[in-house]
Amino acid sequence: DGQWRVGAEIYLWGADTEITTAAGQDVDASFNDVIDNLEMAFMGALVARKDSWSWFGDVMYVGIDGSC
């Protein structure tokens, strides 16, 4: 029908981590540690469709205090 169809969503995603750096240092951040040190987070998606064309964008920003 030639009309633009636009949709957006905001979502939540969570994780913890246990890694070893290239220098051999172990880093362990539980989900609670991440939440306690979270400064700001945003996750969202935007999609636009018209006829046979689609555009999709997914944006994620996470700011965590470096002292965790």
Side-chain angles (χ1 to χ4, degrees), residues 6-29:
V6 179
E9 59 186 49
I10 296 173
Y11 57 92
L12 174 67
W13 182 80
D16 61 11
T17 186
E18 294 179 20
I19 62 170
T20 302
T21 67
Q25 181 181 16
D26 291 329
V27 177
D28 180 15

Side-chain angles (χ1 to χ4, degrees), residues 1-8 46-51 53-55:
D1 63 359
Q3 298 292 320
W4 282 100
R5 306 277 184 214
V6 179
L46 178 66
V47 63
R49 295 183 181 97
K50 183 176 181 180
D51 298 327
W53 291 92
S54 294
W55 290 271

Side-chain angles (χ1 to χ4, degrees), residues 41-65:
F42 175 80
M43 298 175 193
L46 178 66
V47 63
R49 295 183 181 97
K50 183 176 181 180
D51 298 327
S52 63
W53 291 92
S54 294
W55 290 271
F56 178 83
D58 192 26
V59 177
M60 180 187 303
Y61 173 81
V62 180
I64 298 177
D65 183 0

